[in-house]
Amino acid sequence: MSGGELNPLQFLQGWYRDQCNEDWEHEFGIRMETLDNPGWHVVVDVVDTDLEGKKFERRWSEADESRWIWAAADGESYDLTCDPLSLEKGLEWFREFAEGAAYSPPMQREK
């Protein structure tokens, strides 16, 4: 299966598996937690991966008060926060970031 045939969680799982080299996973990884507003917070370490050094300013989508996603990458991690029902879309943004050779959108608001 190519990356496009995987759902966003399957893509993330495969990306994580591909980084594990008996060294990287001992220092880096993926953290996922819930927020109290409510929502999700996901941090994907990209140090010592092909994504290290790739950055983009905050990207966000706010369809309404209850549907929102914020993401950014600082070259060392990909940071995502979203409402409880937007995790799949937020992980799709990670796939776009990981697969885009020159993914570097300006700060933008998507509807």
Side-chain angles (χ1 to χ4, degrees):
M1 262 197 234
S2 71
E5 296 172 354
L6 301 173
N7 70 44
L9 181 57
Q10 290 170 323
F11 178 84
L12 183 64
Q13 291 174 140
W15 182 88
Y16 171 76
R17 179 201 58 223
D18 292 347
Q19 307 319 305
C20 294
N21 60 9
E22 298 182 17
D23 186 35
W24 183 86
E25 65 272 20
H26 293 285
E27 189 171 349
F28 305 106
I30 299 170
R31 290 169 304 289
M32 183 182 297
E33 62 186 352
T34 56
L35 301 173
D36 63 359
N37 61 337
W40 295 99
H41 182 216
V42 179
V43 178
V44 181
D45 294 325
V46 299
V47 173
D48 289 340
T49 75
D50 290 344
L51 302 178
E52 183 173 14
K54 283 181 69 172
K55 301 177 184 181
F56 70 88
E57 295 296 319
R58 187 176 309 145
R59 174 184 183 185
W60 71 90
S61 172
E62 294 176 349
D64 60 49
E65 289 182 10
S66 65
R67 300 303 301 263
W68 51 273
I69 306 171
W70 295 73
D74 65 4
E76 295 183 2
S77 66
Y78 177 90
D79 197 323
L80 163 71
T81 57
C82 63
D83 70 81
L85 299 177
S86 294
L87 181 59
E88 184 173 6
K89 176 70 172 175
L91 294 179
E92 180 62 34
W93 286 7
F94 175 75
R95 181 199 332 232
E96 293 171 6
F97 169 71
E99 290 182 337
Y103 186 75
S104 171
M107 183 179 276
Q108 57 187 325
R109 183 178 197 146
E110 297 182 349
K111 292 271 180 175

